[in-house]
Amino acid sequence: MTLAKICGLKTPEALDAALGAGAAFVGAVTFPRSPRHIEPLHAATLYERARGRAKVVSLLVDPDDALVTEIALILKPDLIQLHGHETPERVAEVRRLSGAGIIKALPVSTPADLDAAAAYAPAVGHLMFDARPPEGSALPGGVGARFDWTMLQGRTFDRPWFLAGGLTPDNVGEAIRLTGAPLVDVSSGVESEPGVKDPALIAAFMAAVDAASPRQGRTK
Ligand SMILES: O=C(O)c1ccccc1N[C@@H]1O[C@H](COP(=O)(O)O)[C@@H](O)[C@H]1O
């Protein structure tokens, strides 16, 4: 069964929609250039409602030690998603500093990009394959870009991995069937405008994930 992460949740309504629809992971983006940016203290208050219902993920981009420490102390995330240029050594440092599990997002535009996973696997609990953003993009992710999912066919990795990038309620079923992704992640694909989550799109996305990946032992 494929599990889903809904990322960039910054209002009670959006977070409740994700939790109510069965998201296994919910993500707080702390990156000022993002339309989904949320400050650590605000995230800590908002995500209290997620405790025990879903894994709380803090998305950071090339964070320094001060931000990692602030996030660890204030938000106390289950996982930190590193979505920048972090090296395997830096990833290991962030894991030690925060005590959180790590999701390392890797940009993909060619099959060779998938080979980078081997260097990161020892330092992380999860990998993430996200479309490399277009040249000159203001954001390293969250722009609705997708990559050729067939690159993942037949590939295996030493860690559980998320498929991300350009997923929507309309295409996530195809993405799961094509790749066998154990985990999927969406940000812009469930929004009515940048940074504004649409509860109906969140519900539709989760329903599509569920339909494409029957639960073990479910009769229908
Ligand atoms: O969502 C953001 O604003 C964001 C900012 C900086 C780095 C990553 C970001 N989002 C992550 O990018 C992928 C793909 O997003 P999308 O579904 O294509 O919009 C996903 O993992 C988001 O969590």
Side-chain angles (χ1 to χ4, degrees):
M1 181 190 151
T2 300
L3 300 178
K5 169 173 172 273
I6 308 292
C7 197
L9 301 161
K10 61 180 187 178
T11 67
E13 295 76 19
L15 185 49
D16 286 345
L19 295 169
F25 302 80
V26 286
V29 175
T30 298
F31 183 58
R33 290 213 301 267
S34 168
R36 302 156 195 106
H37 173 70
I38 186 169
E39 290 292 327
L41 193 54
H42 180 190
T45 306
L46 175 63
Y47 280 73
E48 264 313 298
R49 66 185 65 210
R51 301 297 179 186
R53 299 181 65 187
K55 295 295 185 188
V56 174
V57 181
S58 171
L59 190 158
L60 303 173
V61 178
D62 296 316
D64 60 17
D65 287 0
L67 178 55
V68 171
T69 303
E70 180 184 13
I71 286 287
L73 286 174
I74 293 176
L75 177 55
K76 300 182 176 61
D78 297 295
L79 299 156
I80 290 176
Q81 177 177 325
L82 294 172
H83 220 106
H85 300 90
E86 303 87 1
T87 64
E89 295 72 23
R90 180 57 182 159
V91 167
E93 284 172 3
V94 171
R95 191 189 65 211
R96 278 193 301 275
L97 197 55
S98 66
I102 302 292
I103 303 169
K104 175 58 186 141
L106 299 171
V108 179
S109 54
T110 69
D113 291 328
L114 300 173
D115 299 340
Y120 285 93
V124 304
H126 296 81
L127 294 161
M128 177 180 287
F129 300 115
D130 181 20
R132 186 182 300 278
E135 197 66 37
S137 172
L139 297 176
V143 297
R146 59 178 279 191
F147 65 93
D148 178 358
W149 299 326
T150 62
M151 294 183 200
L152 286 163
Q153 290 180 326
R155 295 292 297 253
T156 59
F157 303 98
D158 291 339
R159 291 290 182 273
W161 54 277
F162 287 83
L163 176 62
L167 296 177
T168 69
D170 294 333
N171 69 22
V172 69
E174 174 199 2
I176 292 171
R177 284 187 289 274
L178 260 181
T179 65
L183 302 147
V184 292
D185 182 21
V186 64
S187 190
S188 59
V190 291
E191 293 180 342
S192 54
E193 61 184 268
V196 181
K197 291 297 193 259
D198 180 329
L201 289 177
I202 290 173
F205 183 86
M206 294 303 301
V209 171
D210 196 32
S213 51
R215 297 177 193 285
Q216 301 300 336
R218 191 168 68 171
T219 52
K220 59 180 176 36

